[in-house]
Amino acid sequence: MSAKPFGRVRRLADGAVFRALLTKGRRQAEGAVTARVLFGDGVGRLGLSIAKRHLRKATARNAMKRIIREAYRARGTALERMDVLFMLTEGSRGREDVRRVPQKLKSADGRSQIRSAVDAVLDRLQSGTHRAPDRGNSPQ
């Protein structure tokens, strides 16, 4: 494992894993912030997918990524064995949640609201709301 808190070992970089998270991963959302999670055997890894269609400016996309990484790092090893992919998606209120994100990133209060949403998702993952599926053999 890397000595860095968010070294290469802790990053999702494989396209196949991203596809698996999108198709098989369990979804957890809070407003516009959505996470997909798969339970694995190794070190917990983080993937970020912040689309340009939601945040047009690179500075806004990078700010969003920094907030998510900071929240993930704060958990330490609590999210071991979980591959987590964060993205922005349209919430239950449609595009309204996503449209507010760029404006929220401009103020300290707005950034703390986004951080709270990310923390809420991570809390649910950490508390076991999403448990690892049984790996037992099922009859076919």
Side-chain angles (χ1 to χ4, degrees):
M1 180 140 101
S2 174
K4 296 179 183 178
F6 197 68
R8 191 176 296 263
V9 175
R10 306 276 296 176
R11 296 182 200 153
L12 277 176
D14 187 9
V17 177
F18 269 87
R19 282 189 293 281
L21 278 161
L22 289 171
T23 58
K24 300 175 189 173
R26 292 184 176 176
R27 182 177 177 271
Q28 190 62 254
E30 182 73 26
V33 177
T34 300
R36 295 272 184 170
V37 63
L38 276 178
F39 297 89
D41 298 332
V43 174
R45 299 177 293 177
L46 174 68
L48 300 168
S49 178
I50 309 300
K52 192 183 278 189
R53 76 181 174 127
H54 295 309
L55 293 175
R56 298 295 297 165
K57 296 192 178 267
T59 54
R61 289 192 303 276
N62 290 332
M64 187 72 189
K65 291 176 190 178
R66 276 194 304 273
I67 291 169
I68 294 169
R69 280 191 206 109
E70 178 186 329
Y72 186 85
R73 251 187 234 118
R75 303 296 166 145
T77 58
L79 297 172
E80 287 295 320
R81 301 179 199 225
M82 287 186 220
D83 289 340
V84 182
L85 172 63
F86 272 95
M87 35 190 182
L88 289 181
T89 56
E90 297 171 2
S92 59
R93 291 183 280 182
R95 292 195 54 116
E96 184 179 331
D97 290 335
V98 176
R99 286 184 186 156
R100 290 183 180 167
V101 171
Q103 196 63 32
K104 285 182 178 181
L105 287 170
K106 292 179 182 178
S107 69
D109 186 44
R111 286 190 299 274
S112 72
Q113 289 175 6
I114 292 171
R115 172 66 191 260
S116 295
V118 172
D119 282 335
V121 170
L122 289 172
D123 285 341
R124 280 185 238 138
L125 294 175
Q126 189 176 346
S127 70
T129 301
H130 281 136
R131 296 211 192 301
D134 277 341
R135 300 243 183 232
N137 296 332
S138 60
Q140 292 183 2

